[in-house]
Amino acid sequence: MKLNGDDVRAIAYEARLSLTNAELEGAVSYINNFLEMAGRFKELDLKNVEPFRFAESRECPLREDKPEPFAQAPDILAARCAADAGAFFKVPRIMEE
Amino acid sequence: MRFRSMGAREIAAGVREKKFSAAEVFEECLRTATDCEDRLSALAAVTAEAGRIQAKRVDEKVAKGEDPGLLAGVPVVIKDNICANGIRTAAGSRILGDWVPPYDATAWSLLADQGAVLLGKGSMDELATGVSDGSAAAVAAGYVPFSLGSDTGGSIRLPASYCGIYGLKPTYGLVSRYGMISYGSSLDQIGPFTRSVEDMELVMRVLARHDPKDSTSVSKNEIFARRTNTLKGRRIALVKEFMDFSPTLDQITADAMKRTIRLFEESGSEVIEVSLPTVARYAAACYYTIAASEAYTNFARFDGVRCGRAAEAAGLREMFETTRSEGFDGGVKSRIIVGTYLSEPDCYEKYYVAATRVRTLIAEEFYKTFDADRIDCILQPVTPSLSGKIGELNLYTLTANVAGLPAFSLPAGLQIIGPRWSDGELLDIGLEVEKISGAPKIAYFLQRR
């Protein structure tokens, strides 16, 4: 199945992206090339194949699940986009949507 | 130009033994960078002020008789997607604006703890499309003896190969990614560029540490302890399906393959052919599915709220959309769009879940082949073409990321790929090859005349 410009604009809307005409052309070509390549998966019988995981993920040392002080919190708040929101991250009003 | 051709080990030894100071080394490397930058553009930022402070600290430790670390006074460049506290980090993207991270990436803090001195941030293309080209060029031109890059599908090995230096994509889990701006989280690895195998080993001994801040990090530092100083009896594999592409190889790469195969054979290694049909046919589709899905998730954090660029807008949707549309370039947008599409219910099972199952088949094919044929490493070109289009270049590199394998690119445009946690053995093999072929030289032609 090939996607057209309208399909790709609809997906871009979901991704919170707008596209110039050149970007749209590039994205249509990119996604259709991708879908053609990924169509190869149909050649395989994957019913009894487990999704991939690294064996060592079972060996990963786990730390105790408890809160710890995080010294950089004030610096991270200082680097946020809107710095005038006290101890919070500021977002535009959503009730207008 | 006293320090330009020196390796990291030699510089650190000289600083420790007070033959020269870290400040002297830093100032000369800074001059080299300044002389070459107008032609090379390897650096997204020069960190002269921070570097001078770090170099002074190393010299003070030496003066007091304290241990200045394994990398005492060694200048380094780190890719601009790896955070250093107080240094602007943009990952080649407008979306991060003038963001200054308030913390260090673990990889950088491990180097700094051992006395490394930051000379600058390596330039890169934007986020998902960005190979570690600046970090590689800075080492090739002799700004610094080593640098850090990141490799999601070949972004260390490709520029290392083009620049004629060494680049290591470590086993997935060996080096912490905490503080790196993620692209494909199950594929990304941080790794070094160097001009000698000896320096590669030194840097990896510093970087290979378990980090509780990266849940994929595994404690395996001991893999660099073993030493096998011979190529005799090694089993080196050529992948039949990738050798079938050899008529399309650039002549320079084809010649390098022939020379290196002969080198292994004359050194007593056995060169054999293996077949990896699933890897050859499905690895690229698997890689692009997983990379796009993970990029879509990772780049969702760039929303104009948490950090970086923010557009002025009255409503939430408009603010998100304007920030992201102005902040990302077309290549990144295309990848996000594919990832978004793959997250839709119809596509999730058909493509994303299928790719995770195909990935199991690919990894098993590698593991079984290494095991059954008792293979030390696979030898293959880094890229089928030195002048291919973007997207075609990484056909030979992405396989190691899909299976989480270590891959070491040699200066001749070739790479050796080994089983998981064979990073130390790959360096042993590389060292023996270097003893015969010689280490790469600095690209002096870049110096201003």
Side-chain angles (χ1 to χ4, degrees), chain B residues 79-81 91-93 122-135 149-156 158-159 180-181 183 188 193 287 299 331-332 335 390:
Chain B
K79 187 176 177 180
D80 199 28
N81 63 351
S93 179
S123 60
M124 58 183 285
D125 282 340
E126 186 183 19
L127 294 166
T129 54
V131 295
S132 319
D133 40 13
S135 296
S150 66
D151 191 312
T152 305
S155 298
I156 289 175
L158 285 160
M180 190 192 93
I181 294 162
Y183 162 24
D188 295 334
F193 296 95
Y287 169 82
F299 298 163
V332 173
R335 284 161 176 80
I390 299 294

PDB file of all heavy atoms in Angstrom, chain B residues 79-81 91-93 122-135 149-156 158-159 180-181 183 188 193 287 299 331-332 335 390:
ATOM      1  N   LYS B  79      30.919  14.494  20.930  1.00  0.00           N
ATOM      2  CA  LYS B  79      29.851  14.792  19.966  1.00  0.00           C
ATOM      3  C   LYS B  79      28.801  15.694  20.610  1.00  0.00           C
ATOM      4  O   LYS B  79      28.520  15.563  21.817  1.00  0.00           O
ATOM      5  CB  LYS B  79      29.224  13.463  19.500  1.00  0.00           C
ATOM      6  CG  LYS B  79      28.214  13.600  18.366  1.00  0.00           C
ATOM      7  CD  LYS B  79      27.739  12.225  17.909  1.00  0.00           C
ATOM      8  CE  LYS B  79      26.688  12.281  16.824  1.00  0.00           C
ATOM      9  NZ  LYS B  79      26.232  10.950  16.371  1.00  0.00           N
ATOM     10  N   ASP B  80      28.196  16.542  19.816  1.00  0.00           N
ATOM     11  CA  ASP B  80      27.288  17.545  20.365  1.00  0.00           C
ATOM     12  C   ASP B  80      25.919  16.984  20.791  1.00  0.00           C
ATOM     13  O   ASP B  80      24.990  17.742  21.052  1.00  0.00           O
ATOM     14  CB  ASP B  80      27.104  18.699  19.367  1.00  0.00           C
ATOM     15  CG  ASP B  80      26.574  19.944  20.054  1.00  0.00           C
ATOM     16  OD1 ASP B  80      26.852  20.115  21.259  1.00  0.00           O
ATOM     17  OD2 ASP B  80      25.869  20.737  19.410  1.00  0.00           O
ATOM     18  N   ASN B  81      25.793  15.664  20.867  1.00  0.00           N
ATOM     19  CA  ASN B  81      24.582  15.095  21.482  1.00  0.00           C
ATOM     20  C   ASN B  81      24.915  14.484  22.858  1.00  0.00           C
ATOM     21  O   ASN B  81      24.094  13.786  23.438  1.00  0.00           O
ATOM     22  CB  ASN B  81      23.930  14.039  20.579  1.00  0.00           C
ATOM     23  CG  ASN B  81      24.826  12.844  20.340  1.00  0.00           C
ATOM     24  OD1 ASN B  81      25.998  12.834  20.704  1.00  0.00           O
ATOM     25  ND2 ASN B  81      24.276  11.809  19.720  1.00  0.00           N
ATOM     26  N   ALA B  91      22.895  19.129  19.556  1.00  0.00           N
ATOM     27  CA  ALA B  91      22.714  17.924  18.731  1.00  0.00           C
ATOM     28  C   ALA B  91      22.411  18.282  17.272  1.00  0.00           C
ATOM     29  O   ALA B  91      21.638  17.597  16.607  1.00  0.00           O
ATOM     30  CB  ALA B  91      21.620  17.027  19.308  1.00  0.00           C
ATOM     31  N   GLY B  92      22.998  19.366  16.810  1.00  0.00           N
ATOM     32  CA  GLY B  92      22.841  19.754  15.410  1.00  0.00           C
ATOM     33  C   GLY B  92      21.438  20.204  15.045  1.00  0.00           C
ATOM     34  O   GLY B  92      21.103  20.288  13.867  1.00  0.00           O
ATOM     35  N   SER B  93      20.608  20.515  16.037  1.00  0.00           N
ATOM     36  CA  SER B  93      19.199  20.808  15.766  1.00  0.00           C
ATOM     37  C   SER B  93      18.798  22.186  16.289  1.00  0.00           C
ATOM     38  O   SER B  93      19.266  22.621  17.342  1.00  0.00           O
ATOM     39  CB  SER B  93      18.320  19.743  16.430  1.00  0.00           C
ATOM     40  OG  SER B  93      16.962  20.024  16.188  1.00  0.00           O
ATOM     41  N   GLY B 122      31.781  18.149  19.109  1.00  0.00           N
ATOM     42  CA  GLY B 122      31.895  17.742  17.712  1.00  0.00           C
ATOM     43  C   GLY B 122      30.631  18.037  16.930  1.00  0.00           C
ATOM     44  O   GLY B 122      29.527  17.709  17.373  1.00  0.00           O
ATOM     45  N   SER B 123      30.779  18.648  15.755  1.00  0.00           N
ATOM     46  CA  SER B 123      29.603  18.986  14.954  1.00  0.00           C
ATOM     47  C   SER B 123      28.934  17.718  14.416  1.00  0.00           C
ATOM     48  O   SER B 123      29.562  16.654  14.316  1.00  0.00           O
ATOM     49  CB  SER B 123      29.994  19.904  13.791  1.00  0.00           C
ATOM     50  OG  SER B 123      30.938  19.254  12.976  1.00  0.00           O
ATOM     51  N   MET B 124      27.680  17.829  14.088  1.00  0.00           N
ATOM     52  CA  MET B 124      26.901  16.688  13.594  1.00  0.00           C
ATOM     53  C   MET B 124      25.703  17.217  12.811  1.00  0.00           C
ATOM     54  O   MET B 124      25.292  18.351  13.001  1.00  0.00           O
ATOM     55  CB  MET B 124      26.406  15.821  14.758  1.00  0.00           C
ATOM     56  CG  MET B 124      25.552  16.576  15.773  1.00  0.00           C
ATOM     57  SD  MET B 124      25.029  15.583  17.184  1.00  0.00           S
ATOM     58  CE  MET B 124      23.746  14.563  16.448  1.00  0.00           C
ATOM     59  N   ASP B 125      25.141  16.364  11.941  1.00  0.00           N
ATOM     60  CA  ASP B 125      23.862  16.704  11.334  1.00  0.00           C
ATOM     61  C   ASP B 125      22.784  16.517  12.390  1.00  0.00           C
ATOM     62  O   ASP B 125      23.038  16.005  13.475  1.00  0.00           O
ATOM     63  CB  ASP B 125      23.579  15.804  10.129  1.00  0.00           C
ATOM     64  CG  ASP B 125      24.369  16.239   8.914  1.00  0.00           C
ATOM     65  OD1 ASP B 125      24.802  17.403   8.899  1.00  0.00           O
ATOM     66  OD2 ASP B 125      24.558  15.420   8.008  1.00  0.00           O
ATOM     67  N   GLU B 126      21.567  16.865  12.065  1.00  0.00           N
ATOM     68  CA  GLU B 126      20.527  16.940  13.079  1.00  0.00           C
ATOM     69  C   GLU B 126      20.097  15.580  13.629  1.00  0.00           C
ATOM     70  O   GLU B 126      19.734  14.676  12.865  1.00  0.00           O
ATOM     71  CB  GLU B 126      19.303  17.636  12.488  1.00  0.00           C
ATOM     72  CG  GLU B 126      18.224  17.891  13.528  1.00  0.00           C
ATOM     73  CD  GLU B 126      16.966  18.525  12.944  1.00  0.00           C
ATOM     74  OE1 GLU B 126      16.774  18.435  11.717  1.00  0.00           O
ATOM     75  OE2 GLU B 126      16.191  19.081  13.721  1.00  0.00           O
ATOM     76  N   LEU B 127      20.116  15.426  14.917  1.00  0.00           N
ATOM     77  CA  LEU B 127      19.510  14.327  15.672  1.00  0.00           C
ATOM     78  C   LEU B 127      19.598  12.978  14.950  1.00  0.00           C
ATOM     79  O   LEU B 127      20.650  12.375  14.879  1.00  0.00           O
ATOM     80  CB  LEU B 127      18.043  14.679  16.002  1.00  0.00           C
ATOM     81  CG  LEU B 127      17.849  15.856  16.962  1.00  0.00           C
ATOM     82  CD1 LEU B 127      16.401  16.331  16.946  1.00  0.00           C
ATOM     83  CD2 LEU B 127      18.269  15.518  18.375  1.00  0.00           C
ATOM     84  N   ALA B 128      18.471  12.535  14.390  1.00  0.00           N
ATOM     85  CA  ALA B 128      18.395  11.197  13.787  1.00  0.00           C
ATOM     86  C   ALA B 128      19.245  11.042  12.537  1.00  0.00           C
ATOM     87  O   ALA B 128      19.560   9.933  12.128  1.00  0.00           O
ATOM     88  CB  ALA B 128      16.948  10.905  13.423  1.00  0.00           C
ATOM     89  N   THR B 129      19.600  12.157  11.903  1.00  0.00           N
ATOM     90  CA  THR B 129      20.339  12.035  10.655  1.00  0.00           C
ATOM     91  C   THR B 129      21.825  12.291  10.877  1.00  0.00           C
ATOM     92  O   THR B 129      22.586  12.363   9.915  1.00  0.00           O
ATOM     93  CB  THR B 129      19.806  13.043   9.613  1.00  0.00           C
ATOM     94  OG1 THR B 129      19.834  14.344  10.213  1.00  0.00           O
ATOM     95  CG2 THR B 129      18.389  12.710   9.207  1.00  0.00           C
ATOM     96  N   GLY B 130      22.239  12.409  12.126  1.00  0.00           N
ATOM     97  CA  GLY B 130      23.560  12.943  12.415  1.00  0.00           C
ATOM     98  C   GLY B 130      24.652  11.956  12.730  1.00  0.00           C
ATOM     99  O   GLY B 130      24.734  11.431  13.833  1.00  0.00           O
ATOM    100  N   VAL B 131      25.523  11.670  11.767  1.00  0.00           N
ATOM    101  CA  VAL B 131      26.708  10.883  12.072  1.00  0.00           C
ATOM    102  C   VAL B 131      27.684  11.753  12.863  1.00  0.00           C
ATOM    103  O   VAL B 131      27.576  12.969  12.884  1.00  0.00           O
ATOM    104  CB  VAL B 131      27.412  10.333  10.814  1.00  0.00           C
ATOM    105  CG1 VAL B 131      26.528   9.348  10.100  1.00  0.00           C
ATOM    106  CG2 VAL B 131      27.855  11.446   9.898  1.00  0.00           C
ATOM    107  N   SER B 132      28.671  11.065  13.495  1.00  0.00           N
ATOM    108  CA  SER B 132      29.593  11.778  14.386  1.00  0.00           C
ATOM    109  C   SER B 132      30.759  12.342  13.575  1.00  0.00           C
ATOM    110  O   SER B 132      31.920  12.093  13.889  1.00  0.00           O
ATOM    111  CB  SER B 132      30.111  10.806  15.445  1.00  0.00           C
ATOM    112  OG  SER B 132      29.087   9.962  15.920  1.00  0.00           O
ATOM    113  N   ASP B 133      30.461  13.114  12.535  1.00  0.00           N
ATOM    114  CA  ASP B 133      31.507  13.516  11.610  1.00  0.00           C
ATOM    115  C   ASP B 133      32.518  14.486  12.225  1.00  0.00           C
ATOM    116  O   ASP B 133      33.714  14.372  11.987  1.00  0.00           O
ATOM    117  CB  ASP B 133      30.903  14.086  10.310  1.00  0.00           C
ATOM    118  CG  ASP B 133      29.690  14.965  10.543  1.00  0.00           C
ATOM    119  OD1 ASP B 133      29.448  15.335  11.708  1.00  0.00           O
ATOM    120  OD2 ASP B 133      28.991  15.282   9.569  1.00  0.00           O
ATOM    121  N   GLY B 134      32.044  15.431  13.034  1.00  0.00           N
ATOM    122  CA  GLY B 134      32.968  16.395  13.641  1.00  0.00           C
ATOM    123  C   GLY B 134      33.953  15.725  14.584  1.00  0.00           C
ATOM    124  O   GLY B 134      35.150  16.045  14.584  1.00  0.00           O
ATOM    125  N   SER B 135      33.466  14.790  15.387  1.00  0.00           N
ATOM    126  CA  SER B 135      34.343  14.089  16.335  1.00  0.00           C
ATOM    127  C   SER B 135      35.428  13.316  15.588  1.00  0.00           C
ATOM    128  O   SER B 135      36.583  13.279  16.015  1.00  0.00           O
ATOM    129  CB  SER B 135      33.527  13.107  17.192  1.00  0.00           C
ATOM    130  OG  SER B 135      32.596  13.802  17.989  1.00  0.00           O
ATOM    131  N   GLY B 149      31.916   9.694  19.954  1.00  0.00           N
ATOM    132  CA  GLY B 149      30.791   9.806  19.046  1.00  0.00           C
ATOM    133  C   GLY B 149      29.669   8.917  19.544  1.00  0.00           C
ATOM    134  O   GLY B 149      29.758   8.335  20.638  1.00  0.00           O
ATOM    135  N   SER B 150      28.625   8.786  18.758  1.00  0.00           N
ATOM    136  CA  SER B 150      27.577   7.809  19.073  1.00  0.00           C
ATOM    137  C   SER B 150      27.191   7.109  17.780  1.00  0.00           C
ATOM    138  O   SER B 150      27.300   7.690  16.698  1.00  0.00           O
ATOM    139  CB  SER B 150      26.370   8.479  19.730  1.00  0.00           C
ATOM    140  OG  SER B 150      25.748   9.354  18.816  1.00  0.00           O
ATOM    141  N   ASP B 151      26.769   5.850  17.913  1.00  0.00           N
ATOM    142  CA  ASP B 151      26.541   4.994  16.749  1.00  0.00           C
ATOM    143  C   ASP B 151      25.194   4.297  16.909  1.00  0.00           C
ATOM    144  O   ASP B 151      25.022   3.464  17.802  1.00  0.00           O
ATOM    145  CB  ASP B 151      27.686   3.966  16.677  1.00  0.00           C
ATOM    146  CG  ASP B 151      27.720   3.180  15.374  1.00  0.00           C
ATOM    147  OD1 ASP B 151      26.658   2.681  14.961  1.00  0.00           O
ATOM    148  OD2 ASP B 151      28.816   3.031  14.787  1.00  0.00           O
ATOM    149  N   THR B 152      24.236   4.677  16.058  1.00  0.00           N
ATOM    150  CA  THR B 152      22.910   4.047  16.086  1.00  0.00           C
ATOM    151  C   THR B 152      22.782   3.046  14.936  1.00  0.00           C
ATOM    152  O   THR B 152      22.133   2.004  15.084  1.00  0.00           O
ATOM    153  CB  THR B 152      21.807   5.124  15.981  1.00  0.00           C
ATOM    154  OG1 THR B 152      22.018   6.074  17.022  1.00  0.00           O
ATOM    155  CG2 THR B 152      20.411   4.527  16.127  1.00  0.00           C
ATOM    156  N   GLY B 153      23.413   3.379  13.798  1.00  0.00           N
ATOM    157  CA  GLY B 153      23.382   2.459  12.648  1.00  0.00           C
ATOM    158  C   GLY B 153      24.674   2.548  11.838  1.00  0.00           C
ATOM    159  O   GLY B 153      24.716   2.123  10.684  1.00  0.00           O
ATOM    160  N   GLY B 154      25.716   3.141  12.451  1.00  0.00           N
ATOM    161  CA  GLY B 154      27.001   3.272  11.750  1.00  0.00           C
ATOM    162  C   GLY B 154      27.651   4.630  11.944  1.00  0.00           C
ATOM    163  O   GLY B 154      28.659   4.939  11.313  1.00  0.00           O
ATOM    164  N   SER B 155      27.085   5.453  12.815  1.00  0.00           N
ATOM    165  CA  SER B 155      27.510   6.859  12.917  1.00  0.00           C
ATOM    166  C   SER B 155      28.890   7.058  13.537  1.00  0.00           C
ATOM    167  O   SER B 155      29.408   8.173  13.511  1.00  0.00           O
ATOM    168  CB  SER B 155      26.479   7.670  13.712  1.00  0.00           C
ATOM    169  OG  SER B 155      25.256   7.659  13.044  1.00  0.00           O
ATOM    170  N   ILE B 156      29.491   6.009  14.110  1.00  0.00           N
ATOM    171  CA  ILE B 156      30.905   6.091  14.478  1.00  0.00           C
ATOM    172  C   ILE B 156      31.752   5.494  13.357  1.00  0.00           C
ATOM    173  O   ILE B 156      32.731   6.084  12.903  1.00  0.00           O
ATOM    174  CB  ILE B 156      31.184   5.349  15.812  1.00  0.00           C
ATOM    175  CG1 ILE B 156      30.586   6.134  16.987  1.00  0.00           C
ATOM    176  CG2 ILE B 156      32.686   5.147  16.017  1.00  0.00           C
ATOM    177  CD1 ILE B 156      30.694   5.440  18.336  1.00  0.00           C
ATOM    178  N   LEU B 158      31.221   4.868  10.113  1.00  0.00           N
ATOM    179  CA  LEU B 158      31.270   5.521   8.796  1.00  0.00           C
ATOM    180  C   LEU B 158      32.246   6.701   8.782  1.00  0.00           C
ATOM    181  O   LEU B 158      33.166   6.724   7.964  1.00  0.00           O
ATOM    182  CB  LEU B 158      29.870   5.944   8.356  1.00  0.00           C
ATOM    183  CG  LEU B 158      28.982   4.780   7.886  1.00  0.00           C
ATOM    184  CD1 LEU B 158      27.512   5.170   7.942  1.00  0.00           C
ATOM    185  CD2 LEU B 158      29.350   4.350   6.479  1.00  0.00           C
ATOM    186  N   PRO B 159      32.109   7.680   9.698  1.00  0.00           N
ATOM    187  CA  PRO B 159      33.074   8.790   9.647  1.00  0.00           C
ATOM    188  C   PRO B 159      34.496   8.360   9.991  1.00  0.00           C
ATOM    189  O   PRO B 159      35.456   8.919   9.456  1.00  0.00           O
ATOM    190  CB  PRO B 159      32.527   9.800  10.662  1.00  0.00           C
ATOM    191  CG  PRO B 159      31.595   9.049  11.521  1.00  0.00           C
ATOM    192  CD  PRO B 159      31.054   7.929  10.693  1.00  0.00           C
ATOM    193  N   MET B 180      23.097  11.381  27.056  1.00  0.00           N
ATOM    194  CA  MET B 180      23.183  11.467  25.599  1.00  0.00           C
ATOM    195  C   MET B 180      21.780  11.715  25.061  1.00  0.00           C
ATOM    196  O   MET B 180      20.822  11.117  25.563  1.00  0.00           O
ATOM    197  CB  MET B 180      23.717  10.155  25.028  1.00  0.00           C
ATOM    198  CG  MET B 180      24.067  10.234  23.565  1.00  0.00           C
ATOM    199  SD  MET B 180      24.343   8.607  22.870  1.00  0.00           S
ATOM    200  CE  MET B 180      22.720   8.232  22.248  1.00  0.00           C
ATOM    201  N   ILE B 181      21.651  12.559  24.055  1.00  0.00           N
ATOM    202  CA  ILE B 181      20.323  12.834  23.493  1.00  0.00           C
ATOM    203  C   ILE B 181      19.961  11.654  22.600  1.00  0.00           C
ATOM    204  O   ILE B 181      20.583  11.426  21.566  1.00  0.00           O
ATOM    205  CB  ILE B 181      20.331  14.177  22.753  1.00  0.00           C
ATOM    206  CG1 ILE B 181      20.570  15.276  23.795  1.00  0.00           C
ATOM    207  CG2 ILE B 181      19.021  14.398  22.014  1.00  0.00           C
ATOM    208  CD1 ILE B 181      21.013  16.577  23.228  1.00  0.00           C
ATOM    209  N   TYR B 183      18.304   8.758  20.224  1.00  0.00           N
ATOM    210  CA  TYR B 183      17.641   8.643  18.914  1.00  0.00           C
ATOM    211  C   TYR B 183      16.902   7.298  18.903  1.00  0.00           C
ATOM    212  O   TYR B 183      15.687   7.249  19.070  1.00  0.00           O
ATOM    213  CB  TYR B 183      18.694   8.776  17.818  1.00  0.00           C
ATOM    214  CG  TYR B 183      18.309   8.274  16.432  1.00  0.00           C
ATOM    215  CD1 TYR B 183      16.976   8.182  16.029  1.00  0.00           C
ATOM    216  CD2 TYR B 183      19.291   7.921  15.516  1.00  0.00           C
ATOM    217  CE1 TYR B 183      16.650   7.721  14.761  1.00  0.00           C
ATOM    218  CE2 TYR B 183      18.969   7.476  14.239  1.00  0.00           C
ATOM    219  CZ  TYR B 183      17.653   7.363  13.872  1.00  0.00           C
ATOM    220  OH  TYR B 183      17.327   6.907  12.625  1.00  0.00           O
ATOM    221  N   ASP B 188      21.340   2.773  20.097  1.00  0.00           N
ATOM    222  CA  ASP B 188      22.385   3.771  20.362  1.00  0.00           C
ATOM    223  C   ASP B 188      23.508   3.225  21.232  1.00  0.00           C
ATOM    224  O   ASP B 188      23.244   2.575  22.242  1.00  0.00           O
ATOM    225  CB  ASP B 188      21.805   4.965  21.154  1.00  0.00           C
ATOM    226  CG  ASP B 188      20.760   5.780  20.417  1.00  0.00           C
ATOM    227  OD1 ASP B 188      20.778   5.796  19.186  1.00  0.00           O
ATOM    228  OD2 ASP B 188      19.941   6.439  21.107  1.00  0.00           O
ATOM    229  N   PHE B 193      36.697   7.539  19.037  1.00  0.00           N
ATOM    230  CA  PHE B 193      37.557   7.601  17.856  1.00  0.00           C
ATOM    231  C   PHE B 193      38.989   7.786  18.350  1.00  0.00           C
ATOM    232  O   PHE B 193      39.213   8.601  19.253  1.00  0.00           O
ATOM    233  CB  PHE B 193      37.232   8.819  16.988  1.00  0.00           C
ATOM    234  CG  PHE B 193      35.866   8.819  16.383  1.00  0.00           C
ATOM    235  CD1 PHE B 193      34.809   9.479  17.002  1.00  0.00           C
ATOM    236  CD2 PHE B 193      35.631   8.200  15.163  1.00  0.00           C
ATOM    237  CE1 PHE B 193      33.552   9.510  16.430  1.00  0.00           C
ATOM    238  CE2 PHE B 193      34.374   8.224  14.585  1.00  0.00           C
ATOM    239  CZ  PHE B 193      33.337   8.874  15.220  1.00  0.00           C
ATOM    240  N   TYR B 287      15.937  -2.579  11.115  1.00  0.00           N
ATOM    241  CA  TYR B 287      16.585  -1.395  11.690  1.00  0.00           C
ATOM    242  C   TYR B 287      15.720  -0.146  11.508  1.00  0.00           C
ATOM    243  O   TYR B 287      15.467   0.597  12.461  1.00  0.00           O
ATOM    244  CB  TYR B 287      17.956  -1.193  11.031  1.00  0.00           C
ATOM    245  CG  TYR B 287      18.576   0.136  11.355  1.00  0.00           C
ATOM    246  CD1 TYR B 287      19.255   0.335  12.548  1.00  0.00           C
ATOM    247  CD2 TYR B 287      18.449   1.221  10.483  1.00  0.00           C
ATOM    248  CE1 TYR B 287      19.796   1.569  12.865  1.00  0.00           C
ATOM    249  CE2 TYR B 287      18.986   2.454  10.794  1.00  0.00           C
ATOM    250  CZ  TYR B 287      19.658   2.622  11.976  1.00  0.00           C
ATOM    251  OH  TYR B 287      20.182   3.851  12.288  1.00  0.00           O
ATOM    252  N   PHE B 299      11.718  11.794  20.368  1.00  0.00           N
ATOM    253  CA  PHE B 299      11.618  13.194  19.945  1.00  0.00           C
ATOM    254  C   PHE B 299      10.296  13.837  20.380  1.00  0.00           C
ATOM    255  O   PHE B 299      10.094  15.030  20.193  1.00  0.00           O
ATOM    256  CB  PHE B 299      11.800  13.323  18.428  1.00  0.00           C
ATOM    257  CG  PHE B 299      13.159  12.858  17.950  1.00  0.00           C
ATOM    258  CD1 PHE B 299      13.389  12.572  16.612  1.00  0.00           C
ATOM    259  CD2 PHE B 299      14.220  12.706  18.836  1.00  0.00           C
ATOM    260  CE1 PHE B 299      14.637  12.135  16.175  1.00  0.00           C
ATOM    261  CE2 PHE B 299      15.469  12.265  18.416  1.00  0.00           C
ATOM    262  CZ  PHE B 299      15.675  11.984  17.082  1.00  0.00           C
ATOM    263  N   GLY B 331      14.390  15.866   7.218  1.00  0.00           N
ATOM    264  CA  GLY B 331      14.834  14.477   7.408  1.00  0.00           C
ATOM    265  C   GLY B 331      14.339  13.903   8.726  1.00  0.00           C
ATOM    266  O   GLY B 331      13.887  12.746   8.786  1.00  0.00           O
ATOM    267  N   VAL B 332      14.409  14.701   9.773  1.00  0.00           N
ATOM    268  CA  VAL B 332      13.937  14.245  11.088  1.00  0.00           C
ATOM    269  C   VAL B 332      12.416  14.119  11.063  1.00  0.00           C
ATOM    270  O   VAL B 332      11.850  13.154  11.592  1.00  0.00           O
ATOM    271  CB  VAL B 332      14.410  15.209  12.202  1.00  0.00           C
ATOM    272  CG1 VAL B 332      13.779  14.853  13.537  1.00  0.00           C
ATOM    273  CG2 VAL B 332      15.927  15.166  12.309  1.00  0.00           C
ATOM    274  N   ARG B 335      11.301  10.839   9.592  1.00  0.00           N
ATOM    275  CA  ARG B 335      11.447   9.698  10.510  1.00  0.00           C
ATOM    276  C   ARG B 335      10.365   9.708  11.577  1.00  0.00           C
ATOM    277  O   ARG B 335       9.822   8.657  11.949  1.00  0.00           O
ATOM    278  CB  ARG B 335      12.840   9.712  11.137  1.00  0.00           C
ATOM    279  CG  ARG B 335      13.900   9.239  10.153  1.00  0.00           C
ATOM    280  CD  ARG B 335      15.293   9.682  10.579  1.00  0.00           C
ATOM    281  NE  ARG B 335      16.317   9.159   9.685  1.00  0.00           N
ATOM    282  CZ  ARG B 335      16.624   9.677   8.503  1.00  0.00           C
ATOM    283  NH1 ARG B 335      15.970  10.725   8.043  1.00  0.00           N
ATOM    284  NH2 ARG B 335      17.582   9.148   7.750  1.00  0.00           N
ATOM    285  N   ILE B 390      22.699   8.877   1.164  1.00  0.00           N
ATOM    286  CA  ILE B 390      22.345   8.658   2.561  1.00  0.00           C
ATOM    287  C   ILE B 390      21.243   7.598   2.601  1.00  0.00           C
ATOM    288  O   ILE B 390      20.284   7.649   1.837  1.00  0.00           O
ATOM    289  CB  ILE B 390      21.824   9.964   3.206  1.00  0.00           C
ATOM    290  CG1 ILE B 390      22.902  11.041   3.176  1.00  0.00           C
ATOM    291  CG2 ILE B 390      21.318   9.735   4.617  1.00  0.00           C
ATOM    292  CD1 ILE B 390      24.118  10.788   4.009  1.00  0.00           C
TER     293      ILE B 390
END
